[in-house]
Amino acid sequence: MKKLLSSLTAALLLSVFAAGCATVNERAQALPADGGQLNLSQMEEILGGNDPIEGFNRSMFSCNKFLMDWLVRPLGIVYTSILPRPVIEKIHNACINLEYPGRAISALLRAEWEGAGDETIRFLLNTTVGIAGLFDVAYDWFGFVPTDSNFGVAFAAWGIGPGCTLILPFSSAINVRDTVGMIFDTAFDLKTYIPYAGSATALNRMVLAHRSFSAVVEGSPDPYKSFRELALIGRELQVRDWRYRRIREMREAAADAGTAEHDLTPSEAVPLPSAPKPEGISGNWVDLAAAGWQDPVHDSLRVALFRPHADDDYWYMRLSLFNRDFAKKRHDRSLQLAPERPELEYSWWPAPEVPEGCSEPPARVVMLLPGIGGGRTGTTPTALAELFNNAGFSVVVLDSAFTGFFMAAAMPGRLPGFLPDDAAAIRTALRAVLDDLVADEKIPPEARVTVAGYSFGAMHTLKIAELENSDPLLNVSAFIAINPPVSLEHAIAVADRFGRAGTEWDGCERLEQLVELSGTAVMAMQIPDALPLLNAIDPESAEAAAGAYLRTPLRGVLLEARRSGRELPGIDAPFSWFNRNQFYLQVDEVSFADYAVKMLAADYPERSLEELYRDSSLFPLERTLREDPRIRVFHSYDDFLLTPEQRAWLDSALGERLTWSSGGGHLGNLFAEDFRLAIVAEALAAELDNL
């Protein structure tokens, strides 16, 4: 007990020391109220300070990543293969239940009386009816919501600043204040006084955390940056008890609306009147009015809800040898396109096994090209891969040409963004991938090839179609383009306009918007019917969210350019493995127009900017679009990246090889099953028509 009291006293002194640092609100108020976009690096600095010990933190993060890869993962494979998911989740429930004293006391310390009461009722119900906390009956049966309270949250409520970012091995804390708070959390945790309970909890939690950790760092050009950013936002949500308060509000709203007592998200999507095919349209028409569309920007956010169906195996966790999630069937492969370059990585899913007694279908492979900045392991590429895989295709997914990974492996020495050169580099990479799979006997040499892409990847797909017409390299049966912009110049203007949304917000307003958008995004990934959450976002915030998302890929490209020693106009901050935060603050101020005019154009001094824009549009491909029967294009009639004139031009050039959806904005139509079915049907039809 004496040792424990000494630790608590030292921790309290450290927390007083941390109080000298500015609080999050003080940092937000200090931000100049002179406009500016919803800059993620700026928000990161508000939430976590300027990271004065960045080198130490990066080293500790690398240590954690090594331990996750080489300790937690092997242990997790064994552990999750022995114990099924329900057992692991029940153990987790019991551990959470034993942490009740710390949560209740920390709630009381910040005068959160309802939260402390809910936690007490939860503990009593779950300990008795829930059989020692194995079952969360308090939430599932009676609707008592758990809080996110701990001593770090209580210290924040007292006005104690977070201090600087502090990463320690196997610590969930992200700053000095929360590291100190963990000492108090441990002291008031009942598991501390039960032999071996702490070790069992640590193993269980690390296994559960592995998937989230991998999702953050996998495919990130700078894993520490991604981790710190998301951890700081997550911690701010926890400090505000955001999830607890929001779920309570939603339950009360559901009760007032007369829906099921514990229904978190009563559907607000009201079927719209039928959307008939407009006069003068020659393309096919898919009426998606029943989906209850709102407006193009909000509807575009629905692409975040387009996720693989075969996900979250009920019986076994992702690490288990017995897990059957679609993502688990992915094979990660790599090859080298040229000496002294990094290897090009790609993902491959084999075609589904043919049931016994059925005839073997012809070998088909879809080569999928993501949108701008899309990684090969991302949610949207994986969901599309599952869509094609279920139709009998094997599937290959590459990183987007507009990523640092593809840039380093396939086109070193220049920046991506000029459509003809990007498409040529992608085509070379696709040929190498096909040869690699054939050499390993993964696919036969005569396999039918479909090249498919969405958004920016759809533009690449159509440019590759033109190249294949003049010089066949891939033996393509079909080209599938989903929501391609017609003009990059127009797409850039729209993305930059969205990036300027909310410029009148002061620092505190920008922080509030970031927290609300982040909390909504996290919750949308956790509950079945998330449409009401997305629909409730106000229009300006929706545009700001779209702008921030569209601009994020610039980070990876400019990071790779700087790594390779390239000088970037307007970006002169120090850059090293130990010091990058100021670099990111400058990068996040770069607009797409800045990138095109000040950086990309420098790689093509012989061309004017107008020529670069013209050749990076679909207009020069008109003959190919009109004459190539292998091409199928799918688009939203209200995609904000199309002007009315561009929409009419596409319709005229493609005719019945173009399929319009009545709504969905940019890629939100992928959320509609009718639209997805049309894509697969047309892909198969195009292949059969062009054997």
Side-chain angles (χ1 to χ4, degrees), residues 49-68:
N50 60 5
D51 201 4
I53 55 172
E54 182 182 356
F56 173 82
N57 287 329
R58 282 185 175 273
S59 299
M60 291 299 99
F61 174 80
S62 296
C63 176
N64 279 334
K65 187 176 184 305
F66 177 85
L67 292 172
M68 277 288 188

Side-chain angles (χ1 to χ4, degrees), residues 166 217 284 287 309 320 334 487 551 583 587:
L166 178 63
V217 303
N284 302 308
D287 185 352
H309 288 95
S320 171
S334 62
S487 165
R551 190 169 290 181
F583 166 79
V587 163

Side-chain angles (χ1 to χ4, degrees), residues 36 119 214 357 364 372 384 407 418 583 628 646 670:
E119 286 290 355
S214 298
R364 302 182 176 99
I372 185 168
L384 278 171
M407 175 182 164
F418 183 52
F583 166 79
D628 193 333
Q646 292 168 3
L670 287 172

